[in-house]
Amino acid sequence: MATAPPVPGPRLHTLHFNVTNTCNLGCSFCYIDAVKGKTSAIPIDRVRTLAKEARSVGGVRVIISGGEAFARKDWWDTMAAFANVGFAVSVVTNGTLLSEATVERLKEIKGLTFLVSLDGDADHHDTIRGQRGAHARTIAGIQRLREAGIPTQLNATIIKDNLEDVPYLTKLSRDLGLSVRFSLLNPYNGRGQDVTGQALSVNQVLALRDYCHELGALGSQVFVNLPPLLLDPQDIIPMRSPSCGWTKSYCGVTYDGNVTICGVAGADATLHVGNILKDSFADLWLNAPLFNTLRSLTSDDLTGVCSQCTYREECGGACRLSAYKGSQDFTASYSMCQAFYDAGVVDERFLEHTDADAVAKVSAS
């Protein structure tokens, strides 16, 4: 892959592009509240311009998502627009539309990787995804990707209703020779706000964490998406940048062209900095006042338990969108780490107690 040209100012690494808000399924916790009906889409010529502009400010990787990316009729041209200018292309998909012909065409894109959503056995997956037969079609799509030699990872969002399926997903990942990443419910975006009662308790998260640690030590490719403070040190995967790199090396573009702080922030119009149908993406990335304000924040600005965490420099406070949505404060502690601290289950070895009053204040608020 060609090296991105040097650029002045903040250098983009990853662009998360939700190419459509149309999806053929109806997931109960969809983070952008996708719909089954037809939605607007950015014209392909503007997509090509976006790819060139994002590359010009340093872009290296693009995450193609939706909705369902393959619900867009010109999905091939959309992915090729980025691949043709040197981006590594990662596709997030439900896998149900990966026909033999589609996968054969995908083999033409060099360096392509897939993240396929699968949330349990047939019964639980189909219930969560709102369509009977979805599980079987997703498995068929995964098999086609494997046979084509396209690198693939399984992604599973774990809630109370499918927690019992974790062993099933672990065995499936082993049988397929793929890794599986367990993520937790995001209760602040899309339909996740409607199912907050399905979020795992602290004790359930602890059990999931310990399960992944034990199996990982035995060689299983199972991972749980938690901040470093909540993981065994042996399970911490080095990060490319603090947090997700929001506004510093990473940002999102919505299906209708809004540029925002990350790939899952599109539903909040207050976090939009402009629209590529009217504005230059490169100019927005370099000069948007909100972006530059957020770029000025450092780990020293974090509050609550995050201000005490010895991983704060590397972690950056985990998901800053979640912190903001929960408190309207981008420097607030990450709610999950705070909940673990309040429950007394954080390893004290990884906390600095130089500002205990601040932690207690946030905990009580």
Side-chain angles (χ1 to χ4, degrees):
M1 185 179 70
T3 302
V7 293
R11 188 177 179 85
L12 178 71
H13 182 279
T14 300
L15 175 69
H16 188 130
F17 182 21
N18 290 310
V19 299
T20 180
N21 202 47
T22 297
C23 186
N24 59 318
L25 302 182
C27 306
S28 62
F29 43 63
C30 177
Y31 68 84
I32 63 168
D33 202 11
V35 299
K36 291 186 178 180
K38 184 177 180 180
T39 58
S40 61
I42 299 170
I44 191 61
D45 286 347
R46 187 61 186 91
V47 172
R48 294 188 180 106
T49 301
L50 169 63
K52 293 175 183 177
E53 289 181 318
R55 185 70 172 148
S56 76
V57 291
V60 173
R61 178 181 181 232
V62 63
I63 301 172
I64 299 291
S65 185
E68 171 51 46
F70 292 96
R72 183 165 169 148
K73 292 183 179 179
D74 59 356
W75 61 265
W76 166 258
D77 294 324
T78 299
M79 296 176 191
F82 290 92
N84 289 344
V85 295
F87 273 91
V89 180
S90 296
V91 181
V92 180
T93 176
N94 63 44
T96 61
L97 302 180
L98 294 173
S99 66
E100 290 183 9
T102 294
V103 173
E104 190 63 26
R105 191 83 194 278
L106 287 168
K107 289 164 63 176
E108 300 174 28
I109 300 178
K110 303 299 183 184
L112 182 68
T113 58
F114 266 73
L115 298 95
V116 182
S117 299
L118 189 71
D119 297 312
D121 65 14
D123 182 56
H124 285 138
H125 179 84
D126 289 356
T127 298
I128 289 170
R129 299 281 160 173
Q131 188 176 110
R132 289 298 163 193
H135 180 274
R137 295 198 302 278
T138 296
I139 293 293
I142 293 170
Q143 292 283 20
R144 292 183 183 117
L145 291 173
R146 287 182 66 249
E147 292 166 3
I150 298 174
T152 302
Q153 180 186 71
L154 304 182
N155 281 354
T157 297
I158 302 302
I159 57 178
K160 290 177 179 176
D161 277 353
N162 68 342
L163 180 58
E164 66 187 63
D165 285 346
V166 166
Y168 165 84
L169 291 164
T170 301
K171 181 179 184 301
L172 181 66
S173 74
R174 184 196 66 196
D175 294 345
L176 294 173
L178 304 176
S179 64
V180 59
R181 183 183 68 176
F182 300 122
S183 296
L184 305 181
L185 177 70
N186 186 328
Y188 299 110
N189 297 293
R191 291 195 286 271
Q193 299 173 87
D194 301 328
V195 292
T196 55
Q198 282 291 317
L200 300 187
S201 68
V202 168
N203 286 336
Q204 287 172 323
V205 175
L206 282 172
L208 178 61
R209 180 196 68 182
D210 294 344
Y211 172 90
C212 291
H213 171 69
E214 291 169 8
L215 287 190
L218 297 175
S220 292
Q221 298 183 76
V222 291
F223 308 94
V224 59
N225 192 15
L226 291 173
L229 180 62
L230 306 183
L231 291 170
D232 186 285
Q234 297 178 34
D235 298 333
I236 297 173
I237 299 174
M239 290 177 281
R240 178 180 48 78
S241 59
S243 189
C244 62
W246 60 308
T247 76
K248 297 183 179 181
S249 63
Y250 168 73
C251 75
V253 175
T254 67
Y255 74 98
D256 50 357
N258 294 308
V259 179
T260 185
I261 65 171
C262 71
V264 297
D268 189 338
T270 66
L271 301 179
H272 297 171
V273 300
N275 190 293
I276 65 168
L277 295 177
K278 299 182 297 181
D279 310 308
S280 159
F281 171 81
D283 181 61
L284 293 173
W285 169 255
L286 293 171
N287 301 310
L290 175 62
F291 279 14
N292 284 324
T293 296
L294 297 179
R295 286 170 185 147
S296 70
L297 299 177
T298 71
S299 61
D300 291 336
D301 296 306
L302 294 170
T303 62
V305 70
C306 290
S307 70
Q308 308 303 304
C309 179
T310 58
Y311 294 113
R312 64 184 178 275
E313 191 69 32
E314 297 84 359
C315 174
C319 177
R320 292 291 84 204
L321 176 64
S322 293
Y324 174 76
K325 297 295 284 188
S327 64
Q328 298 300 296
D329 180 2
F330 281 108
T331 68
S333 59
Y334 183 52
S335 58
M336 187 178 300
C337 289
Q338 192 68 51
F340 272 62
Y341 178 84
D342 293 344
V345 291
V346 168
D347 192 328
E348 295 287 332
R349 294 175 299 169
F350 304 112
L351 293 178
E352 298 171 353
H353 296 284
T354 57
D355 191 9
D357 290 342
V359 176
K361 181 178 178 181
V362 172
S363 300
S365 64

